[in-house]
Amino acid sequence: MTSKRDMVHLYYDSKTGNVQRFINKVIQITGWHAHKIEDDLIIQEEGHLVTFTTKLGCVPDKTQSFMSRNARKIFSVTASGNRNWGKNFGLAANKISEDYDVPLAMKFELSGTMEDINQFIDIIKYQYNDSKRGSKKLDIA
């Protein structure tokens, strides 16, 4: 029998390896399924997006293209960034959330700390996993 935790799908984009390292730790702990975003990826399973912020606050081109094809199947967005960028820290997550009406789960710096990884797992498990929603926004009390 497949458990609920086995049904979580993470879609990620990583340029420098920071998001890849974050995802590797998450799947090591949870056993969730991770899929690296490729140019032509069209997803079958609903899931969560983890990406990075580039050019001082921009959404990466590959992530933007992925979302234009798959946004309706994405439950949440999380982004890596660098706090040295100030107000632009993890700004890709804000832009994706706004542009595609997808809830922002969290932001983390570089490849994240163990605290970030555990927080992400908790957010996905208890707030966004298997959410049945009538709209892109989730009603979380």
Side-chain angles (χ1 to χ4, degrees):
M1 180 176 196
T2 303
S3 69
K4 193 173 186 178
R5 77 178 176 104
D6 291 333
M7 294 185 200
V8 175
H9 292 268
L10 304 174
Y11 300 95
Y12 70 96
D13 195 0
S14 185
K15 181 177 182 179
T16 63
N18 285 328
V19 173
Q20 179 74 59
R21 284 187 290 281
F22 181 86
I23 290 291
N24 288 347
K25 279 290 192 188
V26 169
I27 61 174
Q28 180 182 13
I29 293 167
T30 63
W32 293 345
H33 303 284
H35 313 273
K36 186 167 174 67
I37 295 172
E38 300 298 339
D39 290 330
D40 58 351
L41 178 63
I42 297 176
I43 64 176
Q44 302 303 314
E45 302 291 334
E46 294 173 320
H48 306 271
L49 173 66
V50 182
T51 191
F52 62 97
T53 301
T54 189
K55 300 177 191 169
L56 295 174
C58 294
V59 176
D61 292 339
K62 196 181 286 187
T63 299
Q64 188 73 37
S65 178
F66 169 82
M67 286 302 290
S68 70
R69 295 185 311 275
N70 298 289
R72 71 191 191 297
K73 292 185 178 181
I74 297 298
F75 286 138
S76 72
V77 59
T78 295
S80 172
N82 188 319
R83 292 192 193 281
N84 290 339
W85 295 354
K87 65 182 174 68
N88 293 326
F89 168 68
L91 196 57
N94 299 77
K95 290 180 177 181
I96 290 167
S97 179
E98 186 175 315
D99 292 349
Y100 295 98
D101 202 23
V102 172
L104 193 160
M106 68 176 281
K107 299 178 189 180
F108 60 92
E109 187 168 26
L110 303 174
S111 60
T113 62
M114 278 310 299
E115 183 178 338
D116 294 329
I117 290 162
N118 289 325
Q119 180 183 4
F120 174 78
I121 291 167
D122 285 347
I123 288 169
I124 300 307
K125 278 170 108 173
Y126 300 115
Q127 294 185 23
Y128 296 111
N129 190 34
D130 289 339
S131 297
K132 303 302 178 206
R133 61 187 192 264
S135 70
K136 297 285 184 190
K137 291 289 184 193
L138 300 179
D139 296 322
I140 298 171

Coordinates of all heavy atoms in Angstrom, one line a residue, residues 9 12 15 20 24 41 43 47 58 71 89 96 108 110 115 130 135:
H9 N 5.1 15.1 -4.7 CA 6.0 15.3 -5.8 C 6.5 16.7 -5.7 O 5.8 17.7 -5.5 CB 5.2 15.2 -7.1 CG 4.8 13.7 -7.4 ND1 5.6 12.9 -8.1 CD2 3.7 13.0 -7.0 CE1 5.0 11.7 -8.1 NE2 3.9 11.7 -7.5
Y12 N 11.7 20.9 -9.2 CA 12.7 21.9 -8.8 C 13.6 22.3 -10.0 O 13.8 21.6 -10.9 CB 13.5 21.3 -7.7 CG 14.5 20.2 -8.0 CD1 15.8 20.5 -8.4 CD2 14.0 18.9 -8.1 CE1 16.6 19.4 -8.7 CE2 14.9 17.9 -8.4 CZ 16.2 18.1 -8.8 OH 17.0 17.1 -9.1
K15 N 20.4 25.9 -10.4 CA 21.5 26.3 -11.3 C 22.9 26.1 -10.7 O 23.7 25.5 -11.3 CB 21.3 27.8 -11.6 CG 22.3 28.4 -12.6 CD 22.1 29.8 -12.9 CE 23.1 30.3 -13.9 NZ 22.8 31.7 -14.3
Q20 N 19.3 21.9 -5.5 CA 19.6 20.4 -5.6 C 19.9 19.8 -4.3 O 19.4 18.8 -3.9 CB 20.7 20.2 -6.7 CG 21.0 18.7 -6.8 CD 19.9 17.9 -7.6 OE1 19.7 18.2 -8.7 NE2 19.4 16.9 -6.9
N24 N 17.8 17.2 -2.2 CA 18.4 15.9 -1.8 C 18.2 15.6 -0.4 O 17.9 14.4 0.0 CB 19.9 15.9 -2.2 CG 20.2 15.8 -3.6 OD1 19.3 15.5 -4.4 ND2 21.4 16.1 -4.0
L41 N 9.3 19.5 -19.7 CA 8.6 18.8 -18.7 C 7.2 19.3 -18.6 O 6.9 20.4 -18.3 CB 9.3 18.9 -17.4 CG 8.7 18.2 -16.2 CD1 8.6 16.7 -16.4 CD2 9.4 18.6 -14.9
I43 N 4.0 18.0 -16.4 CA 3.8 17.1 -15.2 C 2.4 16.4 -15.3 O 1.4 17.0 -15.8 CB 4.0 17.8 -13.9 CG1 3.0 18.9 -13.7 CG2 5.4 18.3 -13.8 CD1 3.1 19.5 -12.3
G47 N 1.9 18.8 -7.5 CA 3.0 18.8 -6.6 C 3.4 20.3 -6.2 O 2.6 21.2 -6.3
C58 N 14.8 37.9 -10.1 CA 14.0 37.4 -11.2 C 13.7 35.9 -11.1 O 14.5 35.2 -10.5 CB 14.8 37.7 -12.5 SG 14.9 39.4 -12.9
A71 N 1.2 25.4 -14.1 CA 0.8 26.1 -12.9 C -0.4 25.5 -12.3 O -0.5 25.5 -11.1 CB 0.6 27.6 -13.2
F89 N 15.6 39.2 -1.8 CA 15.8 37.8 -1.3 C 14.6 36.9 -1.6 O 13.5 37.2 -1.3 CB 16.0 37.8 0.3 CG 16.0 36.5 0.9 CD1 17.0 35.5 0.6 CD2 14.9 36.1 1.7 CE1 16.9 34.3 1.2 CE2 14.9 34.8 2.3 CZ 15.9 33.9 2.0
I96 N 6.2 34.3 -8.6 CA 5.5 33.2 -9.1 C 4.1 33.1 -8.4 O 3.1 32.9 -9.0 CB 6.3 31.9 -8.9 CG1 7.5 31.9 -9.8 CG2 5.4 30.6 -9.0 CD1 8.5 30.8 -9.5
F108 N 14.3 30.1 1.5 CA 15.4 29.7 2.3 C 16.7 30.3 1.7 O 16.7 30.6 0.5 CB 15.5 28.2 2.5 CG 15.6 27.5 1.2 CD1 16.9 27.1 0.6 CD2 14.5 27.1 0.5 CE1 17.0 26.4 -0.6 CE2 14.6 26.3 -0.7 CZ 15.8 26.0 -1.2
L110 N 20.4 30.1 0.2 CA 21.4 29.2 -0.4 C 20.9 27.8 -0.5 O 19.9 27.6 -1.1 CB 22.8 29.4 0.3 CG 23.4 30.8 0.3 CD1 24.6 30.8 1.1 CD2 23.6 31.3 -1.1
E115 N 17.1 23.3 9.8 CA 15.9 24.0 10.3 C 15.0 24.3 9.1 O 13.8 24.1 9.2 CB 16.2 25.2 11.2 CG 15.0 25.9 11.7 CD 15.3 27.1 12.6 OE1 16.5 27.2 13.1 OE2 14.4 27.9 12.8
D130 N -1.9 17.2 -0.5 CA -3.3 16.6 -0.9 C -4.4 17.6 -0.7 O -5.5 17.2 -0.4 CB -3.5 15.3 -0.1 CG -2.7 14.2 -0.7 OD1 -2.2 14.3 -1.8 OD2 -2.5 13.2 0.1
S135 N -9.9 26.8 -5.9 CA -9.1 27.9 -6.5 C -7.7 27.6 -6.3 O -7.3 26.7 -5.6 CB -9.6 29.2 -6.0 OG -9.1 29.4 -4.6

